[in-house]
Amino acid sequence: MNQKTICIHGCKEKKDLTGSVSVPIYQSATFAHPAVGKSTGYDYSRQQNPTREHLECTVAALEGGSHAVAFTSGMAAITALMELFQPGDHIIASEDLYGGSIRLFEQINKKNGLRFSYADTSDATKIEALITKDTKAVFIETPSNPTMIVTDIKAVSELTKPRGILLIVDNTFLTPYFQKPLQLGADIIVHSGTKYLCGHNDTLAGFLVTEDQKLGEKLRHLLMSLGSCLSPFDSWLLIRGIKTLAIRMEKQQENAIAIAHWLKTHPKVKKVYYAGLSEHPSYEISSTQASGFGSMISFTVDSEATAVQVLEKVELILYAESLGGVETLITYPMLQTHADLTKEERDARGINETLLRLSVGLEFAEDLISDLKQALD
């Protein structure tokens, strides 16, 4: 079935018998047993809820997986994911990575005995050089946050699979509509469902997706044990948001391409990071492993003063954290998404005083360009 149809109709299994077109919100913490030793299939909503189950089934179908588990946020999903590992285990991660993930790895997981190494994962040889007998996983974002580094998922899987190392891919930026990491050799997919899957900046959610039966059972056990399950109402918001995922991703990408090309022409813009530009170093890989380039753009300007000016002068575009919603947002990574990194760590990643990140929304592209122009001039 085509992804556009899956987005609209979701999971094939219907729990409602009334014919309701909208998936019902089963706002119940617990479910009655029909008899001793018998169950309706639902006992307690921390374990499973019909509304959340419909959402998880939909996300699994979109990703081509057999299991999807929905959490209260993207960070809750990654926190649970790290519980797959034991003290002493080694994980290799993209060096250009969402700051919240780095904070979790460095401030929480390290004290619990996990070890991390970071690499430019666009170069598979740099990953291979870091692999040890204790390496249990490679964790990548592609495109990365915020400098849009693209990693060849298939090339990395060719390193990890023969060694029994898990390949984990954060697919938040492109979503399953544009990129399917499981088909390229990934073992687990991470999503901040808050972003494009929801698409309306009105709730938090996270997902872990796999096609491996045993991994899926482990992830479900972790969700039940840790308790960070997505609520029925938030699950319904995600179901509703996913219905327009395809059309949103297409239009937001169309806007992003127009804006990226315009930014290249402005004298105060020094560099544009967008995987859909032919001069992007991994444009060919993106074209091969994904069906689209998404709508995330980062760009550097000529000075810190110009960056601050843009943030304070934009009118239509909102200066706010997060991404993936219908509204265009602009972010200052050094003060927001990556504020917990040291200046040296940020500088090494190119996250400096002149870098801005743009999440392109659904507004009329010319209106967005006009807003950027007046803010830059």
Side-chain angles (χ1 to χ4, degrees):
M1 189 181 292
N2 186 276
Q3 285 199 103
K4 294 178 181 178
T5 303
I6 296 173
C7 286
I8 301 290
H9 293 281
C11 185
K12 292 180 180 179
E13 295 182 17
K14 305 295 182 184
K15 306 299 178 183
D16 174 62
L17 300 177
T18 68
S20 174
V21 173
S22 177
V23 175
I25 303 170
Y26 289 88
Q27 195 65 45
S28 182
T30 191
F31 301 86
H33 294 275
V36 175
K38 294 185 178 181
S39 171
T40 62
Y42 305 96
D43 300 323
Y44 191 60
S45 275
R46 173 162 47 80
Q47 183 176 21
Q48 190 52 288
N49 174 284
T51 312
R52 190 170 76 242
E53 186 175 46
H54 182 97
L55 169 64
E56 291 173 339
C57 179
T58 299
V59 172
L62 286 170
E63 283 287 10
S66 58
H67 293 74
V69 185
F71 295 83
T72 51
S73 69
M75 289 311 305
I78 300 173
T79 298
L81 175 65
M82 290 298 112
E83 293 299 322
L84 289 175
F85 306 107
Q86 303 293 325
D89 285 352
H90 175 239
I91 298 167
I92 300 168
S94 300
E95 62 184 5
D96 186 50
L97 195 65
Y98 168 54
S101 299
I102 297 173
R103 180 175 60 238
L104 174 68
F105 296 166
E106 294 296 311
Q107 298 181 19
I108 306 296
N109 299 140
K110 267 192 173 181
K111 74 177 178 59
N112 294 333
L114 301 186
R115 297 185 292 116
F116 294 87
S117 298
Y118 299 91
D120 174 2
T121 53
S122 67
D123 184 346
T125 63
K126 292 183 178 179
I127 298 173
E128 188 171 22
L130 292 172
I131 293 175
T132 72
K133 63 180 178 60
D134 296 321
T135 304
K136 304 300 181 184
V138 174
F139 185 107
I140 63 175
E141 284 180 357
T142 182
S144 67
N145 185 359
T147 59
M148 312 302 158
I149 293 171
V150 173
T151 298
D152 186 332
I153 299 170
K154 187 176 180 181
V156 178
S157 75
E158 289 171 355
L159 289 177
T160 57
K161 281 204 182 303
R163 295 173 167 88
I165 296 170
L166 290 176
L167 175 54
I168 302 161
V169 179
D170 188 324
N171 200 29
T172 298
F173 275 16
L174 290 185
T175 81
Y177 184 71
F178 280 147
Q179 181 170 263
K180 292 184 176 294
L182 293 178
Q183 294 181 1
L184 298 166
D187 298 292
I188 299 174
I189 296 171
V190 176
H191 279 287
S192 173
T194 309
K195 312 306 193 292
Y196 290 101
L197 294 181
C198 174
H200 293 79
N201 290 319
D202 55 12
T203 194
L204 304 179
F207 294 92
L208 298 175
V209 187
T210 184
E211 59 181 346
D212 182 272
Q213 179 70 25
K214 289 185 178 179
L215 268 178
E217 290 172 358
K218 287 180 181 179
L219 296 175
R220 178 69 58 189
H221 177 73
L222 287 171
L223 175 72
M224 186 177 65
S225 300
L226 295 172
S228 49
C229 54
L230 195 63
S231 74
F233 181 67
D234 287 333
S235 296
W236 181 83
L237 286 174
L238 266 290
I239 293 167
R240 184 178 67 166
I242 288 172
K243 286 181 183 292
T244 60
L245 176 66
I247 195 167
R248 284 188 286 106
M249 294 300 290
E250 293 281 2
K251 181 58 181 175
Q252 285 171 273
Q253 175 179 248
E254 179 185 317
N255 283 352
I257 290 170
I259 291 168
H261 283 285
W262 178 83
L263 284 168
K264 286 168 53 181
T265 69
H266 198 284
K268 289 186 179 179
V269 175
K270 299 306 175 185
K271 186 171 183 179
V272 179
Y273 301 87
Y274 180 60
L277 294 175
S278 59
E279 61 267 30
H280 188 284
S282 298
Y283 178 80
E284 294 302 325
I285 293 172
S286 293
S287 300
T288 300
Q289 74 179 12
S291 59
F293 304 105
S295 57
M296 293 302 300
I297 304 170
S298 289
F299 62 99
T300 56
V301 292
D302 58 1
S303 67
E304 180 179 2
T306 298
V308 172
Q309 173 186 306
V310 170
L311 295 168
E312 295 184 346
K313 284 187 66 180
V314 286
E315 298 172 353
L316 179 63
I317 298 168
L318 303 173
Y319 173 26
E321 293 197 42
S322 200
L323 58 101
V326 296
E327 302 89 359
T328 298
L329 305 180
I330 193 165
T331 301
Y332 204 15
M334 64 164 283
L335 291 183
Q336 293 175 292
T337 57
H338 292 73
D340 284 340
L341 273 64
T342 66
K343 185 178 187 305
E344 291 73 23
E345 289 171 331
R346 289 195 302 269
D347 287 346
R349 293 166 168 83
I351 306 170
N352 56 34
E353 294 81 358
T354 67
L355 181 73
L356 298 169
R357 192 193 72 185
L358 198 63
S359 170
V360 180
L362 287 177
E363 302 92 342
F364 185 55
E366 287 303 318
D367 289 338
L368 295 171
I369 289 171
S370 293
D371 194 26
L372 287 167
K373 184 177 187 305
Q374 67 81 26
L376 280 161
D377 292 345

